[in-house]
Amino acid sequence: MLSARAATPRGSRQAWLTPRDPAASSTGGDSTFKTAGLGMLGGTRTPRRPAIPDIAPGVRAAGKAGGQDEGPVILPTPRTPEGLGDVRGRHRQRTGPGEISTHWGLKDAEFPGPGSGYGRKSVRGDDVAQNFKAGQKVGVAEYRDACGEAIYQSRVREPLGKSWVRGHRLPEETLSADFPGFGCPLPRGPPAKDAVFPRGVEPDSETAKAQYRLTHASFDPGEMTSRDYKWPEALRNPKHQFGAAERKDSNNRGFGVKTALTMDCGIEPLSLPKTHVVMAGLEHYRYLTTDRLGVPKCLLQNERELPEGHKFGMPSGTDTTSAGELVRGFYSEAEQQPDEDLGCCTARGRRNFLTQQPLGIPTVRDDIPAPPRHRRSVACATNFGDDADARTLLAPGKFQLQNVFDEDFWERRPAQELYGIIQGAGWQVGHDEFESIFKYAVELHGDDEGTASLEALMVAFADWRSHHSKVAPS
């Protein structure tokens, strides 16, 4: 037990102090803790010293009195049972301190020595230290080499570790710290920003812009390319058409239809084609290989002697099933029923678990909140049930280019927000008139929520304006 009286110096001990162990008093609290912890290590306990009689029994001792000795506080860990077999002992035995963990089946296994190792040994060359030490001379050899090199001019003019000595003697002012340096000072001009975007300069004229467009193809942002064509005056007619004019059949004798049906006429209507003299072989080849009216095309194959009534191809089968039966189907009523595992889990181990919740992910993801359509990625293939129909694709909204969709007009909004929207749109409506318009817009929804959509507000405003225009004095 550690007492508060132990903090009193030994030289100034009072007469009523209870005598303690001299060893504990000389070493302080450290030895006291060591003595108290000897019984917690599982070893032999130190026998207590005989108690010294208290010379001041009337003074209560400080600190907390210790209870009955109940033995060591930290119990030893359970050990491996003794008397086990070789196999069970190897399996249960754990590694000791500093021992490498080995599988119990390899405890007594003998492994061959490393020997010379596997693979082919690489040729080890000289390392960097040996390359630097190559040709290095020390001592007398280094001194003799330095004396021999001293006669060369390059050794004197280019000393090792110093700059090139040219023999120049600079003035004394160049050695001072305030020497500005040689050469003319660099004039400090305007910044580069003023050179790229000058101020106070008039813009280029149209003539200069036209020259830049011609020579440098320099166009303004969003400028349309103009080729400066000079069209004839006849093209100013809005009904003008390019191309050759068609010949009109003014006498109503049907030359146009007859010419269209006549394929072997010449350039002029009801004329014969021009005669061209060609080689007979080429004409015969053209006659065989081209398609002729009412005659099959010649495939350039030898003629075969086939009997009359011969038919090519495979004869049709004897199946009496018609195309209508194939389209309508001839499945039985049992085969037309849905599968037994429809809506059930097909994973093994979970098939016997019945639940009312459908399994899997629905095709239309109405189970999660859908993000706004204008914020979805182009590569998003998830169907949230609000995809655009054919009408929206062919005729999109009027304000979609301004990032305003039809859903924004249908959203219910409070009166303060709607009043700010119409004020920003430039509607000249007073606060009292807006209250009556907003009240009528809420009535159009048929509920008492106190909010209205922008579409209902526009309808209410149109009715209010038409009513006021009728009752206004003429």
Side-chain angles (χ1 to χ4, degrees), residues 37-43 45 69-79:
L38 288 177
M40 302 182 184
L41 301 179
R45 299 186 60 188
D69 188 6
E70 299 179 355
V73 180
I74 302 177
L75 301 177
T77 58
R79 312 305 300 170

Side-chain angles (χ1 to χ4, degrees), residues 204-285:
D204 297 338
S205 60
E206 293 297 332
T207 305
K209 289 183 178 180
Q211 292 179 355
Y212 274 110
R213 284 195 295 268
L214 179 62
T215 57
H216 295 77
S218 177
F219 295 90
D220 293 337
E223 182 181 359
M224 183 178 64
T225 302
S226 177
R227 302 182 184 276
D228 297 333
Y229 289 154
K230 294 182 180 180
W231 301 100
E233 294 295 332
L235 299 182
R236 297 184 181 275
N237 185 7
K239 298 183 179 180
H240 177 77
Q241 297 179 356
F242 291 89
E246 298 181 357
R247 181 173 181 176
K248 297 182 179 180
D249 193 2
S250 59
N251 51 8
N252 298 326
R253 290 188 295 176
F255 283 171
V257 178
K258 186 176 182 179
T259 306
L261 296 178
T262 305
M263 297 179 297
D264 54 351
C265 65
I267 300 177
E268 297 295 333
L270 303 179
S271 62
L272 297 176
K274 294 182 179 180
T275 303
H276 297 278
V277 179
V278 296
M279 298 178 62
L282 296 179
E283 183 62 19
H284 293 164
Y285 180 80

